Amino acid sequence: MTPTFESVSVGDVLPTVTYPVRRVDLVRYAGASGDFNRIHWNEAFATSVGLPDVIAHGMFTMATAARLVTDWCGDPGAVVGYGVRFTKPVVVPNDESGATIEVAGVVAARDEEARTVRVDLTAVSAGERVLGRAQVTVRLP
C-alpha cells in the first residue's frame, strides 16, 4: 500500500532491502552517466591508486540507496530533496556475487505545512557504512 502523509509517523521503519552490485552494473552505469573513470572497471588501475579493488561510483551507491524510498512511496517524482556524505566505497569483486548494499530507513521527521517526510537511510556494504547522513525528503499525497 502506498503511504500517505496521514498514514506515516515519525519512527516508522521501512523494510530493509539488500541490493546486489556486480561489475556489469558498474559498466551500465558508466555508459548511462558518462563516468568512465578506470577505478570503476579496471582492477589493476584501481589497486595501483591504493584502492582494494574496483569500487562503485558514488552516485550509483547514492541512487541505489534512494531506491528504498522511491519503491516505498511508489513515485520517484515525490523526492524533493536528497543528500548524503560518502563514508566508504562499495568494493565490487569480479565474480558472480559481486557486492551488496543493504539499505534501511526510518521516518525521522514530518513537515505538516509542506506535507513532506524525511527518511533517514543507513547503507551498509561488507559490514561498513558506505553513506553518512543520508536523508531523503519526499512529499506524500
Side-chain angles (χ1 to χ4, degrees):
M1 181 170 130
T2 303
T4 63
F5 183 76
E6 288 78 16
S7 71
V8 175
S9 300
V10 170
D12 287 355
V13 177
L14 281 64
T16 300
V17 177
T18 301
Y19 299 100
V21 182
R22 296 165 299 137
R23 295 266 179 103
V24 67
D25 300 317
L26 303 184
V27 171
R28 288 179 180 139
Y29 184 83
S33 69
D35 181 352
F36 294 100
N37 188 316
R38 291 183 288 169
I39 64 173
H40 303 304
W41 59 269
N42 184 311
E43 185 175 334
F45 181 79
T47 57
S48 79
V49 297
L51 295 168
D53 204 335
V54 164
I55 62 170
H57 304 73
M59 296 310 232
F60 175 91
T61 302
M62 188 176 174
T64 299
R67 285 177 52 193
L68 179 73
V69 177
T70 59
D71 290 349
W72 169 72
C73 74
D75 179 10
V79 174
V80 295
Y82 183 30
V84 307
R85 281 195 324 240
F86 300 105
T87 57
K88 299 272 185 187
V90 174
V91 178
V92 184
N94 191 21
D95 59 25
E96 291 301 313
S97 300
T100 59
I101 303 172
E102 182 179 89
V103 185
V106 62
V107 176
R110 288 170 38 99
D111 181 329
E112 297 280 340
E113 187 174 319
R115 295 185 59 82
T116 60
V117 298
R118 190 188 82 221
V119 178
D120 290 354
L121 300 176
T122 303
V124 175
S125 183
E128 302 260 12
R129 285 184 69 146
V130 295
L131 298 177
R133 196 173 162 86
Q135 300 177 331
V136 184
T137 302
V138 292
R139 182 166 291 113
L140 297 176

